[in-house]
């Protein structure tokens, strides 16, 4: 059975992105990773430094190890300034460091065996202005050979506004069916 890791990038508990994502995984077994609950320091780029990267003593390695135990990743982020949240960006930026870490040998190859989805919610014409975010994820996934299976964009600004976006709710229900069928086909 394919296992799912949901990586939440929002900073507001029970926010619109989380609400929509929870609908998409309702009834499915998923490991929910709330990046906001962890200390993830920004990358200090030492890719070309003689000494290389050093351990920064945050929660990043533990989160990554947990995520990599799964086959399917669902990245859930609010759309902040036409991009992903800062927490999500810090997490993904650190992947550069991970590719150089001996403890994560084969990281890029292992990523190429996974599948990914994105759920993003924004309040300022997100069906148009959220597309650069989707393209950004596509480029990231392409770099790793990570299969980009699809995305959902929702429109919401104030808490609870996501309930007004019937199109996004329908897409979340369709994603849940897809994930459920995929899991059943693996049995």
């Amino acid at each position: 059975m394919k296992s799912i890791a949901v990586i939440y990038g929002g900073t507001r508990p029970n926010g619109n992105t989380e609400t929509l994502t929870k609908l998409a995984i309702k009834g499915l077994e998923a490991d929910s990773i709330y990046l906001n609950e962890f200390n993830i320091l920004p990358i200090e780029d030492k890719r070309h430094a003689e000494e290389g990267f050093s351990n920064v003593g945050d929660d990043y390695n533990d989160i990554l190890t947990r995520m990599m135990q799964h086959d399917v990743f669902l990245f859930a982020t609010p759309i902040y300034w036409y991009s992903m949240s800062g927490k999500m960006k810090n997490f993904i930026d650190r992947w550069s460091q991970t590719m150089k870490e001996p403890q994560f040998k084969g990281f890029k190859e292992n990523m190429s065996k996974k599948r990914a989805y994105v759920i993003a919610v924004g309040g300022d014409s997100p069906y148009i202005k959220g597309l650069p975010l989707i393209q950004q994820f596509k480029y990231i996934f392409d770099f790793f050979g990570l299969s980009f299976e699809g995305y959902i964009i929702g429109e919401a600004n104030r808490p609870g506004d996501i309930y007004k976006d019937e199109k996004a709710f329908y897409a979340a229900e369709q994603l849940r069916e897809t994930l459920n069928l995929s899991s059943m086909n693996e049995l």
Side-chain angles (χ1 to χ4, degrees):
M1 182 167 166
K2 296 273 183 191
S3 60
I4 302 167
V6 182
I7 300 91
Y8 289 99
T11 58
R12 184 175 61 214
N14 301 308
N16 289 308
T17 305
E18 184 178 342
T19 300
L20 185 60
T21 303
K22 284 184 175 178
L23 176 64
I25 61 168
K26 185 178 179 181
L28 301 175
E29 195 139 337
D31 183 4
S32 296
I33 302 169
Y34 292 88
L35 296 178
N36 201 42
E37 295 177 357
F38 298 95
N39 179 29
I40 305 169
L41 296 174
I43 190 168
E44 185 177 341
D45 189 355
K46 292 189 174 185
R47 289 174 296 158
H48 307 290
E50 191 174 311
E51 73 276 7
F53 290 99
S54 55
N55 187 345
V56 295
D58 64 0
D59 299 320
Y60 170 79
N61 285 350
D62 293 337
I63 298 166
L64 188 72
T65 298
R66 185 171 154 191
M67 181 183 94
M68 292 303 290
Q69 295 173 10
H70 301 283
D71 306 302
V72 177
F73 306 143
L74 205 164
F75 294 91
T77 181
I79 303 171
Y80 289 155
W81 291 103
Y82 317 103
S83 187
M84 64 186 73
S85 70
K87 279 286 192 176
M88 184 75 74
K89 185 72 167 84
N90 274 347
F91 178 68
I92 291 174
D93 281 351
R94 292 284 294 279
W95 293 0
S96 294
Q97 182 175 347
T98 303
M99 290 189 297
K100 302 283 186 177
E101 299 257 348
Q103 80 181 79
F104 292 104
K105 188 174 172 63
F107 174 65
K108 189 173 179 182
E109 181 185 339
N110 289 335
M111 288 288 277
S112 72
K113 299 172 186 170
K114 313 288 185 177
R115 298 183 355 226
Y117 297 86
V118 174
I119 295 181
V121 177
D124 182 18
S125 304
Y127 288 104
I128 299 297
K129 295 179 179 179
L131 292 177
L133 163 69
I134 300 303
Q135 188 173 35
Q136 181 182 27
F137 270 109
K138 182 184 180 330
Y139 288 138
I140 292 165
F141 298 159
D142 283 352
F143 177 84
F144 284 96
L146 178 60
S147 180
F148 189 9
E149 299 291 315
Y151 67 90
I152 298 171
I153 294 178
E155 183 169 6
N157 188 21
R158 300 184 56 75
D161 278 356
I162 194 63
Y163 291 104
K164 300 174 191 173
D165 189 343
E166 293 178 16
K167 180 178 175 182
F169 265 64
Y170 177 76
E173 290 169 355
Q174 294 302 115
L175 176 55
R176 183 178 61 238
E177 287 182 30
T178 298
L179 291 170
N180 192 33
L181 285 172
S182 175
S183 293
M184 289 173 34
N185 288 337
E186 293 297 318
L187 297 175

